[in-house]
């Protein structure tokens, strides 16, 4: 692949580097750097002054070494290529040496240093020595000191923190062992500028700060949540019994108290009020579940603020600490839902902190303001294990995930949906990432569970942006069209006339460019909006039609008539004509029997069969009518009653217009098998209301609460149902009736045609084509409405998928127009399973308590926290458990029925507040 | 076979006990269920549970909301001693049985039946047979595994392994299930099934561990209900549920004074906590302690009780007579000590390499949304639940004890925590408790009231239920970890 070219950025880098060298290496510089609290540092680090005075050569030595390193870097240019090498075992973490030429890899059974050469990684040192490696070597994390290239620290899974000195002459480079944590140590972190300060964060909920010149930790920070509870102690002025584990805090505290500075004094005083918080976890509380400190997942020293460090916790919190004040954190905020696995301070922007969590998000916080402010949020596809700001690119950061996803992404936080770059080398999850040099944005190193170590070159990364579709097209609700595309593309096309074939002519062409577009180079796009003519119809007809159409609840003929009327009033004559046609086709009394004769009875010239007594028919009509209603409201069960359905419409129809061939229905009945006739008669006693079918209509209105049918989702159910004998039986019915249902004649006006007895399938095809035609025209409303109104008669002619597609598009349209009621009705009336389960999903409505404003989790009407019932009826003074209606003026309310009744008699609020409530 | 530990008298006693069992099983007439006590549990006096219940309105709320059967069953009653936990338990159970999920409802119940059948838990089986039919399951399936679709049958292998030796699950098992074909499982379905299996295996542990009685009013028998077989020995019956009458077991375990036993435990906890600061066990010692604990778990329980009998003999005897067997295949497959197969040298599961918090959760939540949060909450809840009491003592930090219980269960499943000193287990968990733990988690169907009574005799029943909850959740987590790890490996 060849060698890297020296990019211009690198060239720049070379010149800029020296300027930032040695910011805070010597104690003097250190003090100067921290004007506000430099004197405080002395007691904390305890030995700083003495140490430096005792061994000046050490400090000098460090300085000398560092200057050499930097010079070396300044003089050389990083080169390399995308490469990887195989490790013997999965890596858990990696860290880069300051010289950018070495990388350390640590894992459960690996701990090695590799030199990064131009063409390959070369194993330089194996730190895992000894015959029987102990658990101290099973590393969860590793960090290389950024000031001292001989100093490393590891966090062991058994809770030990180990430091390593590469300068040791012996084979075993192990330097110090801190065994203060009780649980796995998740993270270690060196102070960016101070040579001897090491911080660790552990599963046991504590963070410890070590001074490497001492045998044990100088301070302990407890990650206990400080929310509620502990403050009573402070108020009572009672000093709690110190549990054993907090002895470090105590010790440290004493050192503060004895310290000479006034600040230390005030720390001691100030800390009393918060004593409760670090001590609380240790089993002294009375609540059954408090008392568990949250595990620390990451700790990071701020790069810009000398005393600050951030820690992240398993419960989603992030805390900011001042290293001088171990008694309580400076600030705490909840950053994620679930554990926060990692955090990283921005190298340049003071107070920018990136956090990554199990909730698959990366968030960038500005913590300089009073409240931590979420600046950016990137949604990834898997839980975020590591996050690292990209050097020299203000808005870039690299992430890798904990599970499932093996790639490394580099994001521009301003563009949270598409990663700027993607590295796909690893075959298992990436566990550690590090930029090779703090001022070089093009080299990324990574270690993975697939036992490999990789160097990625930014220019070799794949860029998902390039594969993304840069054009976007969207229809507005009222026929407007928005179109976004690359600017170059649009510029070329803009001269062209807009497409004129559309009924809704675009009248003007608007271009709007966002001046603050951050990705000018990547995707500068133009947004065009085509608006419809103001008077050009719009979508009013759609809304009106949707609202006024009747889809069920009446006999077919009436539905058709009604809908035809609606369409005509809206000036849609073709549609109106169609409805009329449908009515004629399906509701003309003469037709169905003709077809029926044709098929069930045979070709035996059945026209001449004797008349049936007409009272039979009359008796039957109402019963059947109500049966139809029942059937419609059920939707699903429709197939069972198909027979009745069709004959009912037939018969009611017959009632309505006794014009032509009233003898033919009789033929129908006679022509049928005797058994079926009995079936029809059987229904009579059940519906002994010989009124006309209209009277049952009110029951068809929507019930306030519709029954939720507990049907399991998924295809299995369908299958199951089909298997059960009952349904298959009814399906048989359908089959036998099929010819009857679908038969119709185009020429119902002229009697000639049905004399000639066209095959019924002929008409089914025609209706189907008609529906397809409307759907293709974009009038899916018509297609769905006809589908619902005709029900079984046409359903079988159209394949399930198409129906489902129509339904979903229509429902989608209705919902965009906020016609919720209509859309629900359509959902309810649909027979497609996928559609009818739509309104069974997410039927939960979450409510908050009206007193304490907390969400009410268990019950909708009683609050767990304040134990009050949230909504009382102002009329009956009982708890409202169902529909609650309240006045928006005085916020009193109650049971819907009660309020309705009350307001019939009075216009004042039932609660007696004097408000004149209105109910509409 | 000298299994070490365990006085001869104990062995004799159990020997008798096992004989009772055999007699009991041979003579089928005695098998008609006869609850040992009234109330929800055979181990816990009714008044203990009921007392707690009347106070607790919350429980009723919960039951109303989350119970699938719509009534306060015995499990819920016993668990309601720990209302906080009960809530997360019921919520997650309700979610996996009733809410959005990839599997159809009858499948879910059938899987529950299959899981419970691995431990011959007739209580759970009956419960879910009813629910299975109620949710529209095909009655024919209840005749046995031959009648179910091949797809469900394929789940058998993983059910068997999960229940008894979860460490044997490999990605090949997963591959076999998900590879495309007629009866394949999609990953979300599989995860749902695995969660259900693990849940019901663990719940079976709880049912036996707390001696849950069969529901009092067996509704109109639908023909598929099993005759409840109480797994308690006749000599337990003789025991008359009287704690004071525990002289038998008392002498068995050679405990002179249970009061001093408690004091001793407290003392040990205190000492451990102090020692922790100074004493530094060498690394080698730490790892040997785990091995030791693992090995020792071998001899616990089974050593005295059952291994003196030809293993298979007993199992066959037990299972063949049981109606339960129609839901399972390979009934003789049982728990085998993790530590015993030294020759095969199964690698220890390093808890740090695949944790629930980091890995398990992410995977489960990805494939079966939201269950992760519910399980997470449940695990946290049970792990952190404490009233800071131990028997009569108050203000005790029981963290150590809880952790020991949890980790001991995981230890028996071969899961090791690097940061845990397994010496603590030895210090904190007395032998009779270990016997109980091992039985409940590995062969729950063999739990007897004697075992329940014989440990921690000063402790309250609610505390023992707490122990049971810990065991149950630890077991569930262990099973899930193994299964999910296999799925992860399949994915990578």
């Amino acid at each position: 692949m060849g060698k890297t070219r020296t990019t211009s950025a690198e060239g720049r880098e070379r010149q800029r580097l020296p300027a930032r060298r040695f910011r805070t290496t010597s104690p003097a510089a250190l003090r100067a750097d921290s004007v506000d609290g430099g004197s405080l540092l002395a007691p904390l680090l305890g030995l700083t002054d003495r140490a430096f005075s005792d061994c000046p050569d050490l400090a000098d030595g460090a300085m000398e070494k560092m200057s050499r390193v930097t010079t070396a870097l300044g003089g050389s240019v990083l080169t390399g290529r995308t490469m990887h090498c195989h490790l013997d075992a999965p890596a858990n973490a990696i860290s880069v040496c300051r010289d950018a030429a070495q990388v350390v890899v640590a894992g459960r059974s690996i701990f090695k240093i590799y030199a990064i050469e131009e063409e390959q990684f070369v194993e330089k040192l194996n730190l895992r020595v000894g015959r029987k490696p102990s658990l101290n070597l099973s590393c969860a994390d590793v960090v290389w000191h950024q000031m001292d290239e001989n100093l490393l620290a590891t966090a062991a899974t058994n809770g030990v923190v180990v430091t390593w000195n590469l300068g040791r002459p012996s084979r075993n480079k192990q330097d110090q062992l801190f065994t203060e944590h009780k649980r796995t140590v998740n993270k270690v972190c060196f102070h960016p500028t101070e040579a001897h300060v090491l911080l660790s964060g552990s599963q046991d909920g504590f963070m410890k700060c070590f001074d490497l010149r001492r045998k044990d930790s100088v301070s302990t920070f407890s990650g206990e949540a400080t929310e509620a509870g502990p403050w009573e102690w402070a108020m009572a002025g009672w000093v709690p019994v110190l549990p054993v584990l907090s002895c470090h805090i105590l010790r440290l505290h004493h050192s503060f108290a004895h310290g000479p500075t006034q600040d230390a004094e005030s720390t001691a005083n100030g800390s009393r009020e918060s004593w409760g918080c670090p001590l609380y976890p240790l089993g002294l509380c009375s609540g059954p579940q408090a008392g568990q400190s949250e595990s620390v997942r990451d700790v990071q020293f701020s790069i810009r603020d000398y005393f600050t460090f951030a820690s992240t916790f398993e419960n989603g919190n992030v805390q900011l600490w001042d290293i001088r004040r171990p008694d309580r954190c400076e600030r705490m905020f909840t950053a994620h839902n679930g554990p926060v696995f990692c955090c990283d301070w921005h190298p340049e922007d003071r107070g920018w902190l990136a956090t990554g969590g199990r909730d698959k998000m990366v968030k960038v916080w500005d913590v300089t303001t009073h409240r931590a402010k979420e600046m950016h949020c990137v949604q990834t596809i898997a839980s975020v294990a590591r996050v690292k700001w990209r050097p020299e690119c203000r808005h870039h950061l690299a992430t890798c995930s904990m599970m499932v996803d093996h790639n490394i992404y580099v994001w521009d936080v301003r563009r949270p949906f598409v990663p700027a770059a993607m590295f796909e080398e690893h075959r298992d999850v990436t566990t550690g990432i590090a930029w090779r040099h703090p001022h070089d944005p093009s080299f990324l190193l990574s270690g993975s569970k697939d036992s490999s170590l990789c160097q990625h070159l930014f220019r070799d990364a794949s860029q998902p942006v390039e594969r993304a579709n840069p054009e976007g097209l969207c229809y507005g609700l009222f026929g407007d069209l928005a179109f976004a595309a690359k600017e170059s593309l649009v510029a070329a096309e803009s001269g062209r006339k807009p497409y004129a074939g559309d009924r809704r002519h675009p009248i003007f062409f608007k271009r709007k460019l966002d001046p603050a577009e951050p990705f000018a180079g990547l995707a500068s796009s133009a947004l065009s909006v085509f608006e419809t003519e103001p008077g050009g119809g719009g979508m009013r007809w759609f809304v009106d039609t949707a609202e006024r159409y009747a889809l069920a609840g009446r006999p077919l003929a009436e539905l058709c008539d009604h809908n035809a009327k609606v369409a005509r009033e809206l000036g849609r004559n073709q549609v109106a004509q169609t409805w009329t046609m449908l009515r004629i086709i399906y509701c003309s009394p003469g037709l169905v029997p003709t077809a029926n004769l044709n098929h069930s009875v045979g070709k035996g010239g059945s026209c001449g069969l004797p008349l049936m007594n007409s009272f039979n028919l009359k008796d039957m009509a109402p019963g059947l009518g109500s049966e139809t209603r029942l059937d419609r409201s059920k939707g699903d069960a429709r197939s069972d009653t198909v027979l009745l359905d069709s004959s009912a419409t037939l018969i009611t129809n017959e009632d309505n217009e006794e014009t032509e061939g009233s003898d033919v229905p009789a033929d129908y009945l006679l022509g049928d098998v005797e058994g079926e006739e009995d079936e029809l008669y059987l229904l009579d006693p059940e519906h002994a209301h010989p009124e006309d079918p209209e009277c049952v209509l009110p029951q068809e209105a929507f019930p306030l609460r519709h029954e939720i049918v507990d049907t399991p989702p998924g295809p299995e159910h369908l299958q199951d149902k089909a298997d059960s004998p009952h349904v298959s039986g009814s399906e048989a019915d359908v089959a036998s009736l099929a010819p009857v249902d679908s038969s119709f004649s185009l020429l119902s006006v002229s009697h000639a045609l049905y004399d000639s007895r066209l095959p019924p399938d002929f008409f089914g095809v025609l209706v189907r084509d008609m529906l397809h035609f409307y759907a293709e025209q974009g009038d899916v409303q018509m297609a769905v409405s006809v589908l619902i109104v005709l029900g079984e008669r046409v359903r079988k002619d159209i394949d399930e998928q198409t129906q489902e597609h129509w339904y979903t598009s229509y429902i989608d349209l209705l919902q965009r127009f906020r016609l919720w009621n209509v859309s629900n009705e359509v959902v309810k009336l649909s027979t497609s399973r996928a559609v009818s389960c739509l309104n069974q999903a997410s039927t939960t409505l979450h409510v908050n308590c009206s007193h304490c404003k907390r969400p009410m989790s268990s019950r909708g009407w009683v609050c767990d926290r304040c134990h009050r019932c949230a909504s009382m009826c102002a009329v009956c003074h009982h708890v409202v458990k169902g529909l609650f209606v309240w006045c928006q003026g005085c916020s009193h309310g109650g049971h819907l029925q009660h309020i309705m009744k009350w307001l019939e008699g009075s216009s004042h609020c039932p609660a007696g507040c004097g408000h004149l409530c209105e109910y509409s | 076979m000298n299994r070490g530990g365990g006085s001869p008298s104990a062995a004799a006693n159990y020997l008798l006990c096992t004989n009772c069992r055999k007699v009991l099983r041979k003579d089928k007439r005695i098998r008609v269920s006869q609850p040992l006590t009234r109330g929800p549990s055979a181990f816990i006096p009714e008044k203990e549970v009921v007392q707690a219940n009347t106070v607790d309105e919350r429980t009723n709320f919960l039951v109303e909301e989350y119970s699938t059967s719509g009534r306060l069953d015995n499990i819920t009653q016993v668990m309601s001693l720990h209302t906080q936990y009960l809530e997360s338990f019921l919520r997650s159970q309700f979610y996996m049985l009733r809410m959005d999920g990839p599997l159809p409802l009858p499948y879910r119940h059938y899987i529950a039946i299959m899981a419970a059948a691995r431990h011959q838990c007739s209580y759970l089986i009956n419960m879910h047979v009813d629910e299975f039919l109620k949710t529209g399951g095909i009655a024919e399936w209840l005749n046995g595994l031959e009648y179910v679709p091949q797809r469900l049958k394929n789940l058998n292998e993983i059910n068997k392994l999960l229940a008894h030796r979860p460490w044997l699950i490999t990605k090949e098992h997963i591959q076999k299930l998900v590879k495309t074909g007629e009866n394949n499982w999609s990953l979300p379905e599989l995860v749902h099934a695995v969660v259900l299996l693990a849940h019901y295996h663990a719940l079976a542990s709880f049912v036996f561990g707390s001696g849950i009685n069969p529901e009092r009013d067996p509704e109109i028998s639908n023909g598929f209900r099993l005759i409840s077989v109480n797994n308690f020995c006749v000599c337990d019956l003789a025991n008359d549920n009287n704690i004071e009458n525990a002289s038998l077991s008392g002498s068995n375990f050679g405990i002179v004074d249970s009061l001093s036993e408690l004091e001793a435990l407290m003392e040990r906890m205190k000492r451990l906590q102090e020692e922790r600061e100074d004493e530094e066990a060498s690394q080698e010692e730490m790892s040997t302690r785990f091995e030791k604990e693992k090995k020792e778990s071998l001899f616990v329980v089974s050593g005295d009780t059952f291994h003196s009998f030809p293993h298979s003999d007993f199992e066959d005897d037990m299972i063949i007579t049981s109606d339960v067997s129609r839901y399972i295949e390979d009934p003789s497959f049982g728990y085998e000590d993790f530590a015993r197969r030294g020759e095969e040298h199964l690698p220890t599961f390093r808890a740090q390499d695949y944790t629930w918090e980091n890995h398990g959760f992410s995977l489960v939540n990805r494939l079966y949304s939201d269950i992760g949060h519910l399980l997470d909450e449940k695990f946290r809840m049970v792990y952190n639940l404490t009233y800071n009491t131990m028997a009569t003592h108050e203000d005790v930090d029981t963290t150590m004890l809880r952790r020991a219980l949890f980790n001991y269960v995981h230890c028996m499943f071969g899961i090791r925590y690097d940061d845990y000193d397994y010496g603590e287990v030895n210090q904190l968990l007395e032998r009779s408790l270990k016997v109980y733990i091992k039985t409940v988690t590995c062969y729950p169907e063999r739990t007897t009231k004697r075992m329940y009574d014989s440990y921690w005799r000063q402790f309250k029943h609610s505390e023992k239920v707490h122990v049971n909850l810990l065991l149950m959740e630890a077991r569930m987590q262990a099973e899930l970890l193994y299964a999910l790890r296999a799925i992860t490996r399949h994915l990578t």
Side-chain angles (χ1 to χ4, degrees), chain A residues 43-44 218 250-260 264:
Chain A
L44 165 77
V218 267
L250 236 200
R251 200 183 305 156
L252 187 91
H253 212 69
H254 280 304
S255 76
F256 273 125
H258 296 152

Side-chain angles (χ1 to χ4, degrees), chain A residues 576-714:
Chain A
Q577 205 65 39
T578 312
W579 280 114
T580 318
M581 296 275 282
L582 285 173
R583 181 185 160 282
I584 295 168
I585 290 168
Y586 285 101
C587 307
S588 296
L591 295 171
V592 176
T594 317
N596 185 53
L597 288 175
N598 204 4
H599 281 257
S600 338
V601 185
K603 326 290 176 207
S606 39
C607 283
L609 280 169
L611 278 173
M612 177 108 180
N613 286 338
S614 61
F615 75 86
N616 260 348
L617 294 170
K618 298 236 169 185
D619 280 356
M620 234 179 285
L624 291 171
S626 59
E627 190 60 34
T628 324
R629 171 190 54 78
L630 192 86
D631 151 42
R632 287 254 164 70
S633 64
K634 272 188 178 167
D636 271 1
R638 206 185 278 194
S639 55
D640 299 48
T641 47
V642 158
L643 163 70
L644 302 169
D645 189 6
S646 61
S647 50
T649 41
L650 153 79
I651 289 155
T652 41
N653 214 12
E654 214 270 333
D655 278 349
N656 289 341
E657 24 177 314
E658 303 198 26
T659 45
E660 17 177 0
S662 61
D663 52 333
V664 193
D667 284 351
Y668 161 64
L669 284 170
L670 273 188
D672 253 311
V673 199
E674 287 294 310
E676 263 183 54
E677 204 177 315
D678 288 345
E679 252 178 33
L680 291 175
Y681 280 116
L682 273 177
L683 282 165
D684 282 345
E686 286 174 26
H687 309 275
H689 311 288
E691 290 99 5
D692 65 52
E694 294 258 318
C695 73
V696 291
L697 270 179
Q699 294 174 42
E700 178 57 27
F702 269 75
L704 289 177
R705 262 189 85 117
H706 75 98
E707 224 178 299
I708 294 178
V709 195
D710 198 12
T711 48

